[in-house]
Amino acid sequence: MNNRNVFKMMAAWFLSAAILINLNSTIFATDLDEAEKEKESLKTELEAAEELIDSLKDSREDIAYKVTELDAKLTDISTKISELSVQLEETNNKISDTSEELEVAEAEEEKQYENMKNRIRFMYENRMTANYLAALFEADSFSEFLNEVEYITSLEKYDR
């Protein structure tokens, strides 16, 4: 083979290699650009996902705080309900005791009223000053004595 043919063959081979390298570098460059774009897209998606995770963590912390706060309020309300129940029971007991005392006082009032009517009737029928004095001395207590004085005074005013 002569030099010229070898030279042509080598030139053809270098030219083919250059075309293949150029073709591969174009394909490689296109793949590299696409990979870079995909990398940026994935990076953007990753940042968005991290922001969502942070937001959800904040929401979870807010919800946990609100649950704790509501739990404390519920405990306070339960305590107040218990205290008010005790107060209500005490008040109902006082009402019951006072009702019983009122019944006793009303019975005593009725008894005193009947005694007063009898004495006034007696004093009116007998109209004697000595009887007035006797009625005063029959009083069992100072308050009964004062009641007798009041009754006698009322009767004398009525008589006049």
Side-chain angles (χ1 to χ4, degrees), residues 66-132:
K66 289 187 188 258
V67 165
T68 302
E69 190 177 82
L70 290 174
D71 198 30
K73 285 182 182 180
L74 180 63
T75 301
D76 287 345
I77 290 171
S78 295
T79 302
K80 287 179 183 178
I81 287 173
S82 295
E83 291 172 357
L84 289 174
S85 294
V86 169
Q87 287 178 357
L88 179 62
E89 187 175 336
E90 289 174 356
T91 302
N92 285 336
N93 289 339
K94 286 180 183 178
I95 288 172
S96 177
D97 293 345
T98 304
S99 295
E100 290 173 8
E101 290 174 6
L102 179 62
E103 288 176 12
V104 169
E106 287 174 343
E108 182 65 27
E109 177 191 24
E110 184 65 31
K111 179 182 170 188
Q112 288 178 357
Y113 182 71
E114 289 300 319
N115 287 340
M116 177 193 73
K117 287 191 321 190
N118 289 336
R119 287 190 179 160
I120 290 174
R121 187 179 315 124
F122 176 77
M123 290 190 302
Y124 184 75
E125 288 172 356
N126 292 319
R127 292 193 181 202
M128 294 192 261
T129 307
N131 288 338
Y132 293 152

Side-chain angles (χ1 to χ4, degrees), residues 34-92:
E34 287 178 19
E36 196 66 37
K37 286 178 184 176
E38 189 175 339
K39 177 185 170 188
E40 287 298 319
S41 173
L42 290 173
K43 185 177 179 183
T44 304
E45 289 178 21
L46 178 64
E47 288 173 357
E50 287 174 346
E51 287 178 13
L52 179 62
I53 289 171
D54 289 343
S55 173
L56 291 174
K57 283 181 182 176
D58 290 345
S59 294
R60 190 175 94 198
E61 289 171 1
D62 288 345
I63 290 171
Y65 175 76
K66 289 187 188 258
V67 165
T68 302
E69 190 177 82
L70 290 174
D71 198 30
K73 285 182 182 180
L74 180 63
T75 301
D76 287 345
I77 290 171
S78 295
T79 302
K80 287 179 183 178
I81 287 173
S82 295
E83 291 172 357
L84 289 174
S85 294
V86 169
Q87 287 178 357
L88 179 62
E89 187 175 336
E90 289 174 356
T91 302
N92 285 336

Side-chain angles (χ1 to χ4, degrees), residues 6 11 21-23 80 83 136:
V6 173
I21 289 173
N22 189 21
L23 184 61
K80 287 179 183 178
E83 291 172 357
L136 289 175

